[in-house]
Amino acid sequence: MAHVRPNCKNPSTSISWDENILSMVDDFRFENRIDNRSAAVQKLVRMGLKYQALLEKKRERELARG
């Protein structure tokens, strides 16, 4: 469950990261000139979810074809 702070509109949560993945997130952040780690993680999650949706649509089309 996320925590909502009274002075912030966005819920927050703590996540444990593997050191290598955290390094990759930071590399992505700096390569794309993203202001902070939170914004970088949000962008990566959105991209991953969009990719997952595309894979699901592709799988549904392939199943419909037979």
Side-chain angles (χ1 to χ4, degrees), residues 4-56:
V4 179
R5 293 173 286 177
N7 60 345
C8 183
K9 65 178 181 165
N10 297 323
S12 63
T13 188
S14 295
I15 300 174
S16 297
W17 297 90
D18 177 87
E19 195 172 314
N20 294 331
I21 293 177
L22 184 58
S23 177
M24 292 168 65
V25 169
D26 286 337
D27 290 347
F28 175 81
R29 172 188 169 198
F30 292 115
E31 288 169 6
N32 291 279
R33 298 179 181 206
I34 298 173
D35 290 338
N36 56 58
R37 186 182 284 158
S38 179
V41 169
Q42 287 182 49
K43 184 168 183 147
L44 287 166
V45 169
R46 281 190 194 103
M47 289 170 32
L49 291 171
K50 189 174 187 177
Y51 180 70
Q52 180 62 36
L54 290 172
L55 289 177
E56 184 64 29

